[in-house]
Amino acid sequence: NVFYRLIRYEGIVKSIQLAHAQDKLRRMFDRLFTGTLTSHEVENYINSPSGQTLELQPHGEAVLSLLHGIAFAIERKPDRAIAVVGPAEQDQLTRTVARYLRLMSLEEQRNVPEADGLLRGLLLENEPTERAKRCYQLLGGVNVEKGMIAVAHNDAEALEFAAERLIALEKGAEEFGLPGTVRA
């Protein structure tokens, strides 16, 4: 998992150790992967003495920002995820994962112009093929999920939007030389 690899970077590990935050963060990460982490839990930790200590360490604010954003994404609050992920986007170690979170949140909001702008920016960076695959798969997954929710709620408008978006994403992936990536 990308997030587990991220928090194993030496600089982040040292910050977590200096803040004596290993046990609490480990429990939050476990809850993150089961989809049960709440933004309230992260907020309480950020305001705790060890959370405040971690926030002052190198990369600490970025890790907490990213964790908070992911918790909001789990709660289907993309606007709040976008609002808190800024520090993670500014940190070199967390930047890529934070930008994927922003991309997913913009897509969840149906903010196609901003999502497409961020997607173009991500595709122009290093490792374009791998990054493009991840981006298109992420956006495809978001829209498949939106479509399934629309079907469950008998929401024809949301289903049509998700289907049209999937088609547009597939065309974009084909133009990038990655046909079939959106559905992978």
Side-chain angles (χ1 to χ4, degrees), residues 5 9 96 100 119 121-135 176 178:
R5 278 185 285 162
Y9 280 107
T96 300
Y100 287 153
L119 175 61
L122 286 165
L123 296 179
L124 292 175
E125 293 178 0
N126 296 335
E127 305 173 39
T129 302
E130 267 314 299
R131 186 158 301 189
K133 279 183 181 178
R134 279 185 250 142
C135 289
F176 202 79
L178 299 167

Side-chain angles (χ1 to χ4, degrees), residues 134-171:
R134 279 185 250 142
C135 289
Y136 282 117
Q137 287 170 344
L138 174 71
L139 296 177
V142 168
N143 283 289
V144 166
E145 183 178 8
K146 284 194 300 189
M148 291 176 8
I149 291 169
V151 168
H153 290 97
N154 202 21
D155 185 344
E157 181 183 327
L159 179 60
E160 183 177 342
F161 177 85
E164 288 174 359
R165 186 66 176 145
L166 278 169
I167 292 167
L169 289 167
E170 184 62 41
K171 285 180 184 176

